[in-house]
Amino acid sequence: FALGWGMELALACDYRIVDFTASFGLPEVNIGLIPGAGGTQRLPRLTSLEFALEMITTGRNVKAKQGMEVGLVDAMPNANETLEECAVRWAKWAALFPN
């Protein structure tokens, strides 16, 4: 799970590689708190403004598959690979594009 500050930390990363069981959310809004570690700024940049507003205002959690569809997740393991193998594959791909 990447909930609250955990999700905001993930949003600050260059890439988000997750297992298919991952879940993201900003549950602090359910008790009247605003995400305070950059979630309100970073989430709309990665996804759409409409999707980000829905997550920020409702506190709804998102599963990994939907996160992949909206741009919150960069990679998930294929059916025959582990999370670690997926991360290595993604790192090799990312190394092709130096800063």
Side-chain angles (χ1 to χ4, degrees):
F1 293 98
L3 302 173
W5 199 86
M7 178 176 157
E8 294 181 88
L9 179 62
L11 291 174
C13 295
D14 291 332
Y15 304 108
R16 284 151 303 284
I17 302 166
V18 302
D19 188 67
F20 69 95
T21 61
S23 183
F24 297 88
L26 297 166
E28 61 267 36
V29 302
N30 293 323
I31 58 169
L33 299 175
I34 297 173
T40 57
Q41 293 83 32
R42 291 184 178 110
L43 186 58
R45 292 178 189 159
L46 292 172
T47 64
S48 67
L49 180 58
E50 294 79 11
F51 182 81
L53 279 173
E54 181 183 343
M55 280 194 78
I56 293 166
T57 58
T58 65
R60 183 174 71 88
N61 289 352
V62 174
K63 299 290 184 189
K65 184 177 179 185
Q66 185 181 13
M68 185 85 162
E69 293 168 359
V70 298
L72 181 59
V73 172
D74 292 302
M76 289 179 12
N78 296 325
N80 60 345
E81 73 180 341
T82 66
L83 183 60
E84 291 80 10
E85 291 168 339
C86 178
V88 169
R89 176 175 51 86
W90 191 259
K92 288 179 182 177
W93 176 84
L96 298 173
F97 305 97
N99 294 350

Coordinates of all heavy atoms in Angstrom, one line a residue:
F1 N 0.8 -1.2 0.0 CA 0.0 0.0 0.0 C 0.9 1.2 0.0 O 1.9 1.3 0.7 CB -0.9 0.0 1.2 CG -1.9 -1.1 1.3 CD1 -1.7 -2.2 2.0 CD2 -3.1 -0.9 0.6 CE1 -2.6 -3.2 2.0 CE2 -4.1 -1.9 0.6 CZ -3.8 -3.1 1.3
A2 N 0.4 2.2 -0.8 CA 1.1 3.6 -0.7 C -0.1 4.5 -0.4 O -0.7 5.0 -1.3 CB 1.8 3.9 -2.0
L3 N -0.3 4.8 0.8 CA -1.4 5.6 1.3 C -0.8 6.9 2.0 O 0.2 6.8 2.7 CB -2.3 4.9 2.2 CG -2.9 3.6 1.6 CD1 -3.7 2.9 2.7 CD2 -3.8 3.9 0.4
G4 N -1.5 8.0 1.8 CA -1.1 9.2 2.4 C 0.3 9.6 2.0 O 0.6 9.8 0.8
W5 N 1.2 9.8 3.0 CA 2.5 10.3 2.8 C 3.3 9.3 1.9 O 4.1 9.7 1.1 CB 3.3 10.6 4.1 CG 4.4 11.5 3.9 CD1 4.5 12.8 3.8 CD2 5.8 11.0 3.6 NE1 5.7 13.3 3.6 CE2 6.6 12.2 3.4 CE3 6.4 9.8 3.5 CZ2 7.9 12.1 3.2 CZ3 7.8 9.8 3.2 CH2 8.5 10.9 3.1
G6 N 3.0 8.0 2.1 CA 3.6 7.0 1.2 C 3.3 7.2 -0.2 O 4.2 7.0 -1.1
M7 N 2.1 7.5 -0.6 CA 1.8 7.8 -2.0 C 2.5 9.1 -2.4 O 3.0 9.2 -3.5 CB 0.3 8.0 -2.2 CG 0.0 8.3 -3.6 SD -1.8 8.4 -3.9 CE -1.9 9.4 -5.3
E8 N 2.5 10.1 -1.6 CA 3.2 11.3 -2.0 C 4.7 11.1 -2.2 O 5.3 11.7 -3.0 CB 2.9 12.4 -0.9 CG 1.4 12.8 -0.9 CD 1.1 13.8 0.1 OE1 1.2 15.0 -0.3 OE2 0.7 13.5 1.2
L9 N 5.3 10.3 -1.4 CA 6.7 9.9 -1.6 C 6.9 9.2 -2.9 O 7.8 9.5 -3.7 CB 7.2 9.0 -0.4 CG 8.6 8.5 -0.5 CD1 9.6 9.7 -0.5 CD2 9.0 7.6 0.6
A10 N 6.0 8.3 -3.3 CA 6.1 7.6 -4.6 C 5.9 8.6 -5.7 O 6.5 8.5 -6.7 CB 5.0 6.5 -4.6
L11 N 5.0 9.6 -5.5 CA 4.8 10.6 -6.6 C 6.1 11.4 -6.8 O 6.3 11.9 -7.9 CB 3.7 11.6 -6.2 CG 2.3 11.0 -6.2 CD1 1.3 12.0 -5.6 CD2 1.9 10.5 -7.5
A12 N 7.0 11.5 -5.8 CA 8.2 12.3 -6.0 C 9.3 11.5 -6.7 O 10.3 12.1 -7.1 CB 8.7 12.7 -4.6
C13 N 9.1 10.2 -6.9 CA 10.1 9.4 -7.5 C 10.0 9.5 -9.0 O 9.0 9.9 -9.6 CB 9.9 7.9 -7.1 SG 10.1 7.6 -5.4
D14 N 11.2 9.3 -9.7 CA 11.2 9.3 -11.1 C 10.3 8.3 -11.8 O 9.7 8.5 -12.8 CB 12.7 9.2 -11.6 CG 13.5 10.4 -11.3 OD1 13.0 11.5 -11.2 OD2 14.7 10.2 -11.1
Y15 N 10.4 7.1 -11.2 CA 9.6 6.0 -11.7 C 8.9 5.2 -10.6 O 9.4 5.1 -9.5 CB 10.5 5.0 -12.5 CG 11.3 5.6 -13.6 CD1 12.7 5.8 -13.4 CD2 10.7 6.1 -14.7 CE1 13.4 6.4 -14.4 CE2 11.4 6.7 -15.7 CZ 12.8 6.8 -15.6 OH 13.5 7.4 -16.5
R16 N 7.7 4.7 -10.9 CA 6.9 3.9 -9.9 C 6.7 2.5 -10.5 O 5.9 2.4 -11.5 CB 5.6 4.6 -9.6 CG 5.8 5.7 -8.7 CD 4.8 6.8 -8.8 NE 4.7 7.4 -10.2 CZ 5.6 8.2 -10.7 NH1 6.6 8.6 -10.0 NH2 5.5 8.7 -11.9
I17 N 7.4 1.5 -10.0 CA 7.3 0.1 -10.5 C 6.7 -0.6 -9.3 O 7.2 -0.7 -8.2 CB 8.7 -0.4 -10.8 CG1 9.3 0.5 -11.9 CG2 8.6 -1.9 -11.2 CD1 10.8 0.2 -12.1
V18 N 5.5 -1.2 -9.6 CA 4.7 -1.8 -8.5 C 4.3 -3.2 -8.8 O 4.2 -3.6 -10.0 CB 3.5 -1.0 -8.2 CG1 3.9 0.5 -7.8 CG2 2.5 -0.9 -9.3
D19 N 4.0 -4.0 -7.8 CA 3.3 -5.3 -7.9 C 1.9 -5.1 -8.3 O 1.3 -4.0 -8.0 CB 3.5 -6.0 -6.6 CG 3.1 -7.5 -6.7 OD1 3.7 -8.2 -7.5 OD2 2.1 -7.8 -6.1
F20 N 1.2 -6.1 -8.8 CA -0.2 -6.0 -9.2 C -1.1 -5.8 -8.0 O -2.3 -5.4 -8.2 CB -0.6 -7.2 -10.1 CG -0.7 -8.5 -9.3 CD1 -1.9 -8.9 -8.8 CD2 0.5 -9.2 -9.2 CE1 -1.9 -10.1 -8.1 CE2 0.4 -10.4 -8.5 CZ -0.8 -10.9 -8.0
T21 N -0.6 -6.1 -6.8 CA -1.4 -6.0 -5.6 C -1.4 -4.6 -5.0 O -2.0 -4.3 -4.0 CB -1.0 -7.0 -4.5 OG1 0.4 -6.7 -4.2 CG2 -1.2 -8.4 -5.0
A22 N -0.6 -3.7 -5.6 CA -0.4 -2.3 -5.0 C -1.7 -1.5 -5.0 O -2.6 -1.7 -5.8 CB 0.7 -1.6 -5.8
S23 N -1.8 -0.6 -4.0 CA -2.9 0.3 -3.9 C -2.4 1.6 -3.5 O -1.5 1.8 -2.7 CB -3.9 -0.3 -2.9 OG -5.0 0.5 -2.8
F24 N -3.0 2.7 -4.1 CA -2.6 4.1 -3.8 C -3.8 4.9 -3.3 O -4.9 4.6 -3.7 CB -2.1 4.7 -5.1 CG -0.9 4.1 -5.7 CD1 -1.0 3.0 -6.6 CD2 0.4 4.5 -5.4 CE1 0.1 2.4 -7.1 CE2 1.5 3.9 -5.9 CZ 1.4 2.9 -6.8
G25 N -3.5 5.8 -2.5 CA -4.6 6.7 -2.0 C -4.2 7.8 -1.1 O -3.0 7.8 -0.6
L26 N -5.0 8.7 -0.9 CA -4.8 9.9 0.0 C -5.9 9.9 1.0 O -6.8 10.8 1.0 CB -4.8 11.2 -0.8 CG -3.7 11.3 -1.9 CD1 -3.9 12.4 -2.8 CD2 -2.3 11.4 -1.2
P27 N -5.9 9.0 2.0 CA -7.0 8.8 2.9 C -7.1 10.0 3.9 O -8.2 10.1 4.6 CB -6.7 7.5 3.6 CG -5.3 7.3 3.5 CD -4.9 7.9 2.2
E28 N -6.1 10.8 4.0 CA -6.2 11.9 5.0 C -7.3 12.9 4.7 O -7.8 13.5 5.6 CB -4.8 12.6 5.1 CG -4.3 13.2 3.9 CD -3.4 12.4 3.0 OE1 -3.6 11.1 3.0 OE2 -2.5 12.9 2.4
V29 N -7.7 12.9 3.5 CA -8.8 13.8 3.1 C -10.1 13.4 3.8 O -11.0 14.2 3.9 CB -9.0 14.0 1.6 CG1 -7.7 14.5 1.0 CG2 -9.4 12.8 0.9
N30 N -10.2 12.1 4.1 CA -11.4 11.7 4.8 C -11.6 12.2 6.2 O -12.7 12.1 6.7 CB -11.5 10.1 4.8 CG -11.6 9.6 3.4 OD1 -12.3 10.1 2.5 ND2 -10.9 8.5 3.1
I31 N -10.5 12.7 6.8 CA -10.7 13.3 8.1 C -10.4 14.8 8.0 O -10.1 15.5 9.0 CB -9.7 12.6 9.1 CG1 -8.3 12.7 8.7 CG2 -10.2 11.2 9.4 CD1 -7.3 12.3 9.8
G32 N -10.5 15.4 6.8 CA -10.4 16.8 6.7 C -9.0 17.4 6.5 O -8.9 18.6 6.6
L33 N -8.0 16.6 6.3 CA -6.7 17.1 6.0 C -6.4 17.1 4.6 O -6.8 16.3 3.8 CB -5.7 16.2 6.8 CG -5.8 16.1 8.3 CD1 -4.8 15.0 8.8 CD2 -5.6 17.4 8.9
I34 N -5.6 18.1 4.2 CA -5.1 18.2 2.8 C -3.8 17.5 2.7 O -2.9 17.7 3.5 CB -5.0 19.7 2.4 CG1 -6.3 20.4 2.5 CG2 -4.4 19.9 1.0 CD1 -6.3 21.9 2.3
P35 N -3.5 16.8 1.6 CA -2.2 16.1 1.4 C -1.1 17.2 1.4 O -1.2 18.2 0.7 CB -2.3 15.5 0.0 CG -3.8 15.3 -0.2 CD -4.5 16.4 0.5
G36 N -0.2 17.0 2.3 CA 0.8 18.1 2.6 C 2.2 17.9 2.1 O 3.1 18.7 2.3
A37 N 2.5 16.8 1.4 CA 3.8 16.5 0.9 C 4.0 16.5 -0.6 O 4.7 15.8 -1.2 CB 4.3 15.1 1.5
G38 N 3.2 17.4 -1.2 CA 3.3 17.6 -2.7 C 2.3 16.8 -3.5 O 2.3 16.9 -4.7
G39 N 1.4 16.0 -2.9 CA 0.5 15.2 -3.6 C -0.5 16.0 -4.5 O -0.8 15.6 -5.6
T40 N -0.9 17.2 -4.0 CA -1.8 18.0 -4.7 C -1.2 18.6 -6.0 O -1.9 19.0 -6.9 CB -2.4 19.1 -3.9 OG1 -1.4 19.9 -3.3 CG2 -3.3 18.5 -2.7
Q41 N 0.1 18.8 -6.0 CA 0.8 19.3 -7.1 C 1.3 18.2 -8.1 O 1.2 18.4 -9.3 CB 2.0 20.1 -6.7 CG 1.7 21.4 -5.9 CD 1.4 21.1 -4.5 OE1 2.0 20.2 -3.9 NE2 0.6 21.9 -3.9
R42 N 1.8 17.1 -7.6 CA 2.4 16.1 -8.4 C 1.4 15.2 -9.1 O 1.6 14.8 -10.2 CB 3.4 15.3 -7.6 CG 4.6 16.0 -7.2 CD 5.6 15.1 -6.5 NE 6.8 15.9 -6.1 CZ 7.2 16.2 -4.9 NH1 6.4 15.9 -3.9 NH2 8.3 16.9 -4.7
L43 N 0.3 14.9 -8.4 CA -0.7 13.9 -8.9 C -1.3 14.4 -10.2 O -1.3 13.7 -11.2 CB -1.7 13.6 -7.9 CG -2.7 12.6 -8.2 CD1 -2.1 11.2 -8.5 CD2 -3.8 12.4 -7.1
P44 N -1.7 15.7 -10.3 CA -2.2 16.1 -11.6 C -1.2 16.2 -12.8 O -1.6 16.1 -13.9 CB -2.8 17.5 -11.4 CG -2.6 17.8 -9.9 CD -1.8 16.7 -9.3
R45 N 0.1 16.3 -12.4 CA 1.1 16.3 -13.4 C 1.3 14.9 -14.0 O 1.7 14.8 -15.2 CB 2.4 16.8 -12.9 CG 2.4 18.3 -12.5 CD 3.7 18.8 -11.9 NE 3.5 20.1 -11.3 CZ 4.3 20.6 -10.4 NH1 5.3 19.9 -9.9 NH2 4.1 21.8 -10.0
L46 N 1.1 13.9 -13.2 CA 1.3 12.5 -13.7 C 0.0 12.0 -14.4 O 0.1 11.2 -15.3 CB 1.7 11.6 -12.5 CG 3.1 11.9 -12.0 CD1 3.3 11.0 -10.7 CD2 4.1 11.5 -13.0
T47 N -1.1 12.3 -13.8 CA -2.4 11.8 -14.3 C -3.1 13.0 -15.0 O -2.5 13.9 -15.5 CB -3.2 11.3 -13.2 OG1 -3.6 12.3 -12.3 CG2 -2.4 10.2 -12.4
S48 N -4.4 13.0 -15.0 CA -5.1 14.1 -15.5 C -5.6 15.0 -14.3 O -5.7 14.5 -13.2 CB -6.3 13.6 -16.3 OG -7.3 13.0 -15.5
L49 N -6.0 16.2 -14.6 CA -6.5 17.0 -13.5 C -7.8 16.5 -13.0 O -8.0 16.5 -11.7 CB -6.8 18.4 -14.1 CG -7.3 19.5 -13.1 CD1 -6.4 19.6 -11.9 CD2 -7.6 20.8 -13.8
E50 N -8.7 15.9 -13.8 CA -9.9 15.4 -13.3 C -9.7 14.2 -12.4 O -10.3 14.1 -11.4 CB -10.8 14.9 -14.5 CG -11.3 16.1 -15.4 CD -10.2 16.6 -16.4 OE1 -9.2 15.9 -16.6 OE2 -10.5 17.6 -17.0
F51 N -8.8 13.3 -12.8 CA -8.5 12.1 -12.0 C -7.9 12.5 -10.7 O -8.3 12.0 -9.6 CB -7.6 11.1 -12.7 CG -7.3 9.9 -12.0 CD1 -8.2 8.8 -11.9 CD2 -6.1 9.8 -11.2 CE1 -7.9 7.7 -11.2 CE2 -5.8 8.7 -10.5 CZ -6.7 7.6 -10.5
A52 N -7.0 13.4 -10.7 CA -6.3 13.9 -9.5 C -7.3 14.6 -8.5 O -7.3 14.3 -7.3 CB -5.2 14.9 -9.8
L53 N -8.2 15.4 -9.1 CA -9.2 16.0 -8.2 C -10.1 15.0 -7.6 O -10.5 15.2 -6.4 CB -10.0 17.0 -9.1 CG -9.4 18.4 -9.3 CD1 -10.2 19.2 -10.2 CD2 -9.2 19.1 -8.0
E54 N -10.5 14.0 -8.3 CA -11.3 12.9 -7.7 C -10.6 12.3 -6.5 O -11.2 12.1 -5.5 CB -11.7 11.9 -8.8 CG -12.6 10.8 -8.2 CD -12.9 9.7 -9.2 OE1 -12.7 9.9 -10.4 OE2 -13.3 8.6 -8.7
M55 N -9.3 11.9 -6.7 CA -8.6 11.2 -5.7 C -8.4 12.2 -4.5 O -8.5 11.8 -3.3 CB -7.2 10.8 -6.1 CG -7.2 9.5 -6.9 SD -5.6 8.8 -7.1 CE -5.3 8.1 -5.5
I56 N -8.1 13.4 -4.7 CA -7.8 14.4 -3.7 C -9.0 14.8 -2.9 O -9.0 15.0 -1.7 CB -7.1 15.6 -4.3 CG1 -5.7 15.3 -4.8 CG2 -7.0 16.8 -3.2 CD1 -5.1 16.3 -5.7
T57 N -10.2 14.8 -3.6 CA -11.4 15.3 -2.9 C -12.2 14.1 -2.3 O -13.0 14.3 -1.3 CB -12.3 16.1 -3.8 OG1 -12.6 15.3 -4.9 CG2 -11.6 17.3 -4.2
T58 N -12.0 12.9 -2.8 CA -12.8 11.8 -2.2 C -12.1 10.8 -1.3 O -12.7 10.1 -0.6 CB -13.5 11.0 -3.4 OG1 -12.4 10.3 -4.1 CG2 -14.3 11.8 -4.3
G59 N -10.7 10.8 -1.5 CA -9.9 9.9 -0.7 C -10.0 8.4 -1.2 O -9.6 7.5 -0.6
R60 N -10.5 8.3 -2.5 CA -10.7 7.0 -3.1 C -9.3 6.3 -3.4 O -8.4 7.0 -3.8 CB -11.4 7.1 -4.4 CG -11.7 5.8 -5.1 CD -12.6 6.0 -6.3 NE -11.9 6.7 -7.4 CZ -11.2 6.1 -8.3 NH1 -11.1 4.8 -8.3 NH2 -10.6 6.8 -9.3
N61 N -9.2 5.0 -3.1 CA -8.0 4.3 -3.4 C -8.0 3.8 -4.8 O -9.1 3.6 -5.4 CB -7.8 3.1 -2.4 CG -7.5 3.5 -1.0 OD1 -7.2 4.7 -0.8 ND2 -7.4 2.6 -0.1
V62 N -6.8 3.6 -5.4 CA -6.7 3.2 -6.8 C -5.8 1.9 -6.7 O -4.7 1.9 -6.1 CB -6.0 4.3 -7.6 CG1 -5.7 3.8 -9.0 CG2 -6.9 5.5 -7.7
K63 N -6.2 0.9 -7.4 CA -5.4 -0.3 -7.6 C -4.4 -0.1 -8.7 O -4.4 0.8 -9.5 CB -6.3 -1.5 -8.0 CG -7.4 -1.8 -6.9 CD -6.7 -2.4 -5.7 CE -7.8 -2.8 -4.7 NZ -7.3 -3.2 -3.4
A64 N -3.4 -1.0 -8.7 CA -2.2 -0.9 -9.6 C -2.6 -0.8 -11.0 O -2.1 0.0 -11.8 CB -1.3 -2.0 -9.3
K65 N -3.6 -1.7 -11.4 CA -4.0 -1.7 -12.9 C -4.5 -0.4 -13.3 O -4.2 0.1 -14.4 CB -5.0 -2.8 -13.1 CG -5.4 -3.0 -14.5 CD -6.3 -4.1 -14.8 CE -6.7 -4.2 -16.2 NZ -7.7 -5.3 -16.5
Q66 N -5.4 0.2 -12.5 CA -6.0 1.5 -12.9 C -4.9 2.6 -12.8 O -4.9 3.5 -13.6 CB -7.2 1.9 -12.0 CG -7.8 3.2 -12.4 CD -8.9 3.7 -11.6 OE1 -9.2 3.2 -10.5 NE2 -9.7 4.6 -12.1
G67 N -4.0 2.5 -11.8 CA -2.9 3.4 -11.8 C -2.0 3.4 -13.0 O -1.6 4.4 -13.5
M68 N -1.9 2.2 -13.6 CA -1.1 2.1 -14.8 C -1.9 2.8 -16.0 O -1.3 3.4 -16.8 CB -0.9 0.6 -15.1 CG 0.0 0.3 -16.3 SD 1.7 0.3 -15.8 CE 2.4 -0.5 -17.2
E69 N -3.2 2.6 -16.0 CA -4.0 3.2 -17.1 C -4.0 4.7 -17.0 O -4.0 5.3 -18.1 CB -5.4 2.7 -16.9 CG -5.6 1.2 -17.2 CD -6.9 0.7 -16.8 OE1 -7.8 1.4 -16.3 OE2 -7.2 -0.5 -17.1
V70 N -3.9 5.3 -15.9 CA -4.0 6.8 -15.8 C -2.6 7.5 -15.7 O -2.5 8.7 -15.6 CB -4.9 7.2 -14.6 CG1 -6.3 6.7 -14.8 CG2 -4.3 6.8 -13.3
G71 N -1.5 6.7 -15.6 CA -0.2 7.3 -15.6 C 0.5 7.4 -14.2 O 1.5 7.9 -14.1
L72 N -0.2 6.9 -13.2 CA 0.3 6.9 -11.8 C 1.4 5.9 -11.7 O 2.4 6.1 -10.9 CB -0.8 6.7 -10.8 CG -0.5 6.7 -9.4 CD1 0.1 8.0 -8.9 CD2 -1.8 6.4 -8.6
V73 N 1.3 4.8 -12.4 CA 2.3 3.7 -12.3 C 3.0 3.6 -13.6 O 2.4 3.7 -14.7 CB 1.6 2.3 -12.0 CG1 2.5 1.2 -12.1 CG2 0.9 2.4 -10.6
D74 N 4.3 3.4 -13.6 CA 5.1 3.3 -14.8 C 5.3 1.9 -15.3 O 5.3 1.6 -16.5 CB 6.5 3.9 -14.6 CG 6.4 5.4 -14.4 OD1 5.9 6.1 -15.3 OD2 6.9 5.9 -13.3
A75 N 5.4 0.9 -14.4 CA 5.6 -0.5 -14.8 C 5.1 -1.5 -13.8 O 5.1 -1.2 -12.6 CB 7.0 -0.8 -15.1
M76 N 4.6 -2.6 -14.3 CA 4.2 -3.7 -13.5 C 4.8 -5.0 -14.1 O 5.0 -5.0 -15.3 CB 2.7 -3.9 -13.4 CG 2.0 -2.8 -12.7 SD 0.2 -2.8 -12.6 CE -0.3 -4.4 -13.2
P77 N 5.1 -6.0 -13.3 CA 5.7 -7.2 -13.8 C 4.8 -7.9 -14.8 O 3.6 -7.9 -14.6 CB 5.9 -8.1 -12.6 CG 5.8 -7.2 -11.4 CD 5.0 -6.0 -11.8
N78 N 5.4 -8.5 -15.8 CA 4.6 -9.4 -16.7 C 4.3 -10.6 -16.0 O 4.8 -10.9 -14.9 CB 5.5 -9.7 -17.9 CG 5.8 -8.5 -18.8 OD1 5.0 -7.6 -18.9 ND2 7.0 -8.5 -19.3
A79 N 3.4 -11.4 -16.6 CA 2.9 -12.6 -15.9 C 4.1 -13.6 -15.5 O 3.9 -14.3 -14.5 CB 2.0 -13.4 -16.8
N80 N 5.2 -13.6 -16.2 CA 6.2 -14.6 -15.9 C 7.5 -13.9 -15.3 O 8.6 -14.5 -15.4 CB 6.6 -15.3 -17.2 CG 7.1 -14.4 -18.3 OD1 6.9 -13.2 -18.2 ND2 7.7 -14.9 -19.3
E81 N 7.4 -12.7 -14.7 CA 8.6 -12.1 -14.1 C 8.2 -11.6 -12.7 O 7.1 -11.3 -12.4 CB 9.1 -11.0 -15.0 CG 8.4 -9.7 -15.0 CD 9.0 -8.7 -15.9 OE1 10.2 -8.7 -16.2 OE2 8.3 -7.8 -16.3
T82 N 9.3 -11.5 -11.9 CA 9.1 -11.0 -10.5 C 9.2 -9.5 -10.5 O 9.6 -8.9 -11.5 CB 10.2 -11.5 -9.6 OG1 11.5 -11.0 -10.1 CG2 10.3 -13.1 -9.6
L83 N 8.9 -8.9 -9.4 CA 8.9 -7.4 -9.3 C 10.4 -7.0 -9.5 O 10.6 -6.0 -10.2 CB 8.4 -7.0 -7.9 CG 8.4 -5.5 -7.7 CD1 7.5 -4.8 -8.7 CD2 7.9 -5.2 -6.2
E84 N 11.3 -7.7 -9.0 CA 12.7 -7.4 -9.1 C 13.2 -7.4 -10.6 O 13.9 -6.5 -11.0 CB 13.6 -8.3 -8.2 CG 13.4 -8.1 -6.7 CD 12.2 -8.8 -6.2 OE1 11.6 -9.6 -6.9 OE2 11.8 -8.5 -5.0
E85 N 12.8 -8.5 -11.3 CA 13.1 -8.6 -12.7 C 12.5 -7.4 -13.5 O 13.1 -6.9 -14.4 CB 12.6 -9.9 -13.2 CG 13.4 -11.1 -12.7 CD 12.8 -12.4 -13.0 OE1 11.5 -12.5 -13.3 OE2 13.5 -13.4 -13.0
C86 N 11.3 -7.0 -13.1 CA 10.7 -5.9 -13.8 C 11.4 -4.6 -13.5 O 11.6 -3.8 -14.5 CB 9.2 -5.8 -13.3 SG 8.3 -4.4 -14.0
A87 N 11.9 -4.4 -12.3 CA 12.6 -3.2 -12.0 C 14.0 -3.2 -12.7 O 14.4 -2.1 -13.2 CB 12.9 -3.2 -10.5
V88 N 14.6 -4.3 -12.9 CA 15.9 -4.4 -13.6 C 15.6 -4.1 -15.1 O 16.3 -3.3 -15.8 CB 16.6 -5.7 -13.5 CG1 17.7 -5.9 -14.5 CG2 17.1 -5.9 -12.0
R89 N 14.5 -4.6 -15.7 CA 14.2 -4.4 -17.1 C 13.9 -2.9 -17.3 O 14.4 -2.3 -18.2 CB 12.9 -5.2 -17.4 CG 12.4 -5.0 -18.8 CD 11.3 -5.9 -19.2 NE 10.2 -6.0 -18.2 CZ 9.1 -5.1 -18.2 NH1 9.1 -4.1 -19.0 NH2 8.2 -5.3 -17.3
W90 N 13.2 -2.3 -16.4 CA 12.8 -0.9 -16.5 C 14.1 0.0 -16.3 O 14.2 1.0 -17.0 CB 11.8 -0.5 -15.4 CG 11.2 0.8 -15.6 CD1 11.6 2.0 -14.9 CD2 10.2 1.2 -16.5 NE1 10.8 3.0 -15.4 CE2 10.0 2.6 -16.4 CE3 9.5 0.5 -17.5 CZ2 9.1 3.3 -17.1 CZ3 8.6 1.3 -18.2 CH2 8.4 2.6 -18.1
A91 N 15.0 -0.4 -15.4 CA 16.2 0.4 -15.2 C 17.1 0.3 -16.5 O 17.7 1.4 -16.9 CB 17.0 -0.1 -14.0
K92 N 17.2 -0.8 -17.1 CA 17.9 -0.9 -18.4 C 17.3 -0.1 -19.4 O 18.0 0.6 -20.2 CB 18.0 -2.4 -18.8 CG 18.9 -3.2 -18.0 CD 18.9 -4.7 -18.4 CE 19.8 -5.5 -17.5 NZ 19.7 -7.0 -17.9
W93 N 16.0 0.0 -19.5 CA 15.3 0.8 -20.5 C 15.6 2.3 -20.2 O 15.9 3.1 -21.1 CB 13.8 0.5 -20.5 CG 13.1 1.4 -21.4 CD1 12.9 1.2 -22.7 CD2 12.4 2.6 -21.1 NE1 12.1 2.3 -23.2 CE2 11.8 3.2 -22.2 CE3 12.2 3.3 -19.9 CZ2 11.1 4.3 -22.2 CZ3 11.5 4.5 -19.9 CH2 11.0 5.0 -21.1
A94 N 15.5 2.7 -18.9 CA 15.7 4.1 -18.5 C 17.1 4.5 -18.8 O 17.3 5.7 -19.1 CB 15.3 4.3 -17.1
A95 N 18.1 3.6 -18.7 CA 19.5 4.0 -18.9 C 19.7 4.3 -20.3 O 20.7 5.0 -20.6 CB 20.4 2.8 -18.5
L96 N 18.9 4.0 -21.2 CA 19.0 4.3 -22.6 C 18.8 5.8 -22.9 O 19.1 6.4 -23.9 CB 18.1 3.5 -23.5 CG 18.3 2.0 -23.5 CD1 17.2 1.3 -24.3 CD2 19.6 1.7 -24.1
F97 N 18.2 6.5 -21.9 CA 17.8 7.9 -22.0 C 18.5 8.7 -20.9 O 17.9 9.2 -20.0 CB 16.3 8.1 -21.9 CG 15.6 7.2 -22.9 CD1 15.1 6.0 -22.5 CD2 15.4 7.6 -24.2 CE1 14.4 5.2 -23.4 CE2 14.8 6.8 -25.1 CZ 14.2 5.6 -24.7
P98 N 19.8 9.0 -21.1 CA 20.5 9.8 -20.0 C 20.0 11.2 -20.0 O 19.5 11.7 -21.0 CB 22.0 9.7 -20.4 CG 21.9 9.4 -21.9 CD 20.7 8.7 -22.2
N99 N 20.2 11.8 -18.8 CA 19.8 13.2 -18.7 C 20.5 14.1 -19.6 O 21.4 14.5 -19.8 CB 20.0 13.7 -17.2 CG 19.0 12.9 -16.3 OD1 18.2 12.2 -16.8 ND2 19.2 13.0 -15.0

